[in-house]
Amino acid sequence: MQDPQNSSHNNEWLDHLASVDGKEENKTHFWGKEPSCLISNSSISSRRFTVGNGTNIYNSTIIPALESAQCEIIFVTCFWARSSALDQLSATLVKLSTKANSRPNGIPKLRVRLCFSSCSLIQKLSHTSSPAGHIYPPSKWQSLGLPPPSDLSGLDLQVKSLFFLPFSVMHPKFVIIDRQRALFPSCNLSYESWLECCLPVTGPVVTTLVDFWHNVWARNDFPPLPVTASEEVSSTPPPSEASPSCTTILLPSPHHRSPHFRPFSTAASPPLTPLNTYLLHLFATASKSIKLITPNLTSQPVIDALVTALERGVDVEVITNRRMMILEQLLTSGTITEYCVWKFRRRYRKFTQLRSRRDSAASHMEEGQARQIGKLSVGYFIPGIVYKRSHIKCTVVDEEVIVLGSGNMDRASWYTSQELGIALEGRQVVGDLWRVINGDESPYREVEWLDTVK
């Protein structure tokens, strides 16, 4: 297998992180000295990749993973709310505690770390600005909808929140089981009936994910796994679900408390985080197609990069939402998705018309010499009874790279929120996952496509 860290494709975007600005941006993070540590391998099975609403994903994927834990659960979400998902989590914690209490003497308690960023407006406004966050004492667990401490005696449980005013929410969602397996759901621990997905992974990328969690959440709370318990854990999925390894890149995007908020002026350049840098590199080097599924589209650097790709002949397809979290968009971006889409399509129309006039004037050019403009397709997700909004974040470039995770193509994700993406490289894995998201039975088959710009 080719060493993923030595590919010319990855060397190009890593060079940006090694630049003067890139080093300054990333110097306090574990990847700062050697960004290539973010590149590894993982095993992915498209049969275990889930699409549905949050309740479906908890039922089918997250809860069974939690129940399989032998020694440690790391659970990270952004928004924590009373919901059926929280009820499922609480019942599972009680079940795990009972199971742990029945272990022979000498076996340590099951270690559980529950991490979240937001549960209410009051919680965010009153939250500590310390990077150590706020640890909830057991007496406050029930106020979060968790069982009483007496029902969780078999667990070494800690509940922590992190949030930094004004807009720096910790937006990633992931679960790590025994530091061997990981899940990347797009859904929060919440009640919304949105279209979501969940990617399970095994392999070396999980170790990098543990490093990320440690860097953000654990600090002085990171003991090694008990040897007696870790010996019971297998990192290998069942043979029927095993799949070849593919190049996998963990793409953190740390939060920024200074948002450079200028809604009515030219946008400042986005921070050179791994996620931002990798996505901009993908957009700049795409040769055939870019497909985006994003809840919102308010990031000006993204729109600029897509316009540039269209000008050089790359087809661009965007699926987003109407009227999703309007107040939040206005507070963090000073605009909304619908207005940005309108401006995006107007820019495309203008340079398409300009190119057409230039080509007509250059009648002496040989046929085929003029460069073709890419096709722009923009569609809005159609709300239904099962799915009220689309909440999947997915980028596919040239059918060779797919990026999933927490990052939206909006200003908050690109400038202020902490985000986490995972990129998978390889035509087979990209095709398999895209067919699950956009297959024959997918809700994305009923998108409200806007008229083609003429």
Side-chain angles (χ1 to χ4, degrees):
M1 179 187 305
Q2 182 183 5
D3 183 355
Q5 296 183 351
N6 291 332
S7 71
S8 58
H9 160 70
N10 285 318
N11 287 338
E12 290 176 7
W13 69 271
L14 289 173
D15 286 343
H16 292 287
L17 297 183
S19 66
V20 174
D21 291 339
K23 287 181 178 179
E24 181 65 23
E25 166 66 33
N26 296 282
K27 64 182 180 181
T28 61
H29 305 287
F30 74 88
W31 62 86
K33 292 184 178 179
E34 188 54 61
S36 62
C37 73
L38 297 171
I39 307 174
S40 60
N41 291 297
S42 67
S43 294
I44 308 292
S45 172
S46 61
R47 285 176 292 180
R48 301 175 67 219
F49 178 60
T50 336
V51 171
N53 61 29
T55 300
N56 299 148
I57 286 174
Y58 269 83
N59 278 330
S60 65
T61 306
I62 297 178
I63 294 303
L66 298 178
E67 291 178 343
S68 71
Q70 297 293 324
C71 48
E72 183 183 71
I73 293 171
I74 296 171
F75 178 96
V76 178
T77 192
C78 174
F79 184 49
W80 178 292
R82 303 273 181 159
S83 58
S84 61
L86 177 55
D87 293 341
Q88 292 177 70
L89 174 63
S90 296
T92 301
L93 292 176
V94 172
K95 183 177 180 180
L96 289 169
S97 175
T98 303
K99 179 181 176 182
N101 280 329
S102 66
R103 290 175 173 178
N105 292 334
I107 301 293
K109 292 184 177 182
L110 179 66
R111 186 170 182 266
V112 179
R113 295 296 179 261
L114 303 180
C115 311
F116 70 93
S117 189
S118 169
C119 65
S120 70
L121 178 60
I122 294 176
Q123 173 255 345
K124 288 189 286 189
L125 291 176
S126 61
H127 203 282
T128 175
S129 60
S130 168
H134 174 69
I135 297 177
Y136 288 79
S139 60
K140 298 295 184 180
W141 290 351
Q142 286 183 272
S143 69
L144 295 172
L146 291 170
S150 58
D151 291 348
L152 304 175
S153 60
L155 307 180
D156 170 13
L157 175 62
Q158 182 187 92
V159 184
K160 178 187 280 192
S161 61
L162 278 176
F163 179 80
F164 302 96
L165 288 168
F167 304 128
S168 296
V169 70
M170 305 291 105
H171 201 228
K173 305 103 167 129
F174 59 89
V175 179
I176 307 173
I177 305 298
D178 298 326
R179 304 186 196 176
Q180 300 288 330
R181 296 175 290 129
L183 306 173
F184 290 87
S186 65
C187 51
N188 294 293
L189 186 72
S190 189
Y191 50 80
E192 297 94 351
S193 183
W194 292 344
L195 182 58
E196 311 276 6
C197 68
C198 183
L199 176 73
V201 302
T202 58
V205 70
V206 179
T207 300
T208 313
L209 179 61
V210 172
D211 290 340
F212 172 77
W213 178 82
H214 182 201
N215 186 248
V216 175
W217 293 93
R219 298 184 176 269
N220 297 323
D221 174 40
F222 197 59
L225 292 185
V227 174
T228 53
S230 62
E231 289 176 345
E232 303 175 19
V233 180
S234 172
S235 61
T236 306
S240 61
E241 298 179 349
S243 60
S245 293
C246 65
T247 299
T248 306
I249 309 170
L250 196 71
L251 296 166
S253 193
H255 78 278
H256 293 79
R257 296 184 66 178
S258 176
H260 301 292
F261 187 52
R262 304 186 186 103
F264 304 111
S265 62
T266 303
S269 298
L272 287 178
T273 68
L275 179 58
N276 289 353
T277 301
Y278 185 82
L279 286 171
L280 289 176
H281 172 72
L282 285 183
F283 299 153
T285 57
S287 61
K288 297 178 182 177
S289 64
I290 298 172
K291 299 176 182 178
L292 298 182
I293 297 176
T294 176
N296 291 315
L297 179 64
T298 60
S299 173
Q300 193 59 48
V302 172
I303 295 172
D304 292 343
L306 296 180
V307 169
T308 301
L310 286 160
E311 289 177 326
R312 67 172 188 270
V314 178
D315 293 337
V316 173
E317 178 181 296
V318 179
I319 299 175
T320 185
N321 294 289
R322 292 186 189 272
R323 298 181 293 278
M324 183 169 185
M325 304 177 74
I326 296 294
L327 180 59
E328 181 179 284
Q329 290 188 65
L330 291 171
L331 287 173
T332 60
S333 306
T335 187
I336 61 173
T337 294
E338 291 90 326
Y339 182 60
C340 290
V341 166
W342 176 79
K343 290 197 301 181
F344 182 19
R345 298 179 73 238
R346 185 179 64 171
R347 286 178 65 182
Y348 178 70
R349 180 182 297 109
K350 286 184 176 179
F351 81 68
T352 301
Q353 293 171 347
L354 179 61
R355 179 71 63 81
S356 178
R357 288 196 295 268
R358 286 177 178 175
D359 291 347
S360 297
S363 58
H364 62 280
M365 296 180 65
E366 296 181 5
E367 184 178 355
Q369 186 174 344
R371 185 171 54 182
Q372 294 295 314
I373 296 174
K375 177 184 176 183
L376 173 62
S377 303
V378 179
Y380 287 112
F381 182 79
I382 300 176
I385 297 175
V386 179
Y387 305 115
K388 305 301 183 184
R389 295 288 188 273
S390 166
H391 197 236
I392 292 174
K393 308 94 164 56
C394 176
T395 300
V396 177
V397 174
D398 291 340
E399 301 182 0
E400 295 180 350
V401 181
I402 187 169
V403 182
L404 300 165
S406 69
N408 300 299
M409 296 299 169
D410 63 12
R411 190 187 183 285
S413 288
W414 277 71
Y415 286 86
T416 58
S417 302
Q418 183 194 85
E419 304 291 351
L420 184 65
I422 181 169
L424 308 171
E425 299 182 351
R427 187 171 290 270
Q428 179 178 341
V429 67
V430 172
D432 289 345
L433 296 182
W434 182 249
R435 279 189 290 272
V436 176
I437 293 174
N438 200 34
D440 293 339
E441 303 300 322
S442 169
Y444 293 123
R445 292 297 182 182
E446 299 297 329
V447 166
E448 175 198 348
W449 292 105
L450 303 181
D451 293 336
T452 302
V453 177
K454 299 295 186 182

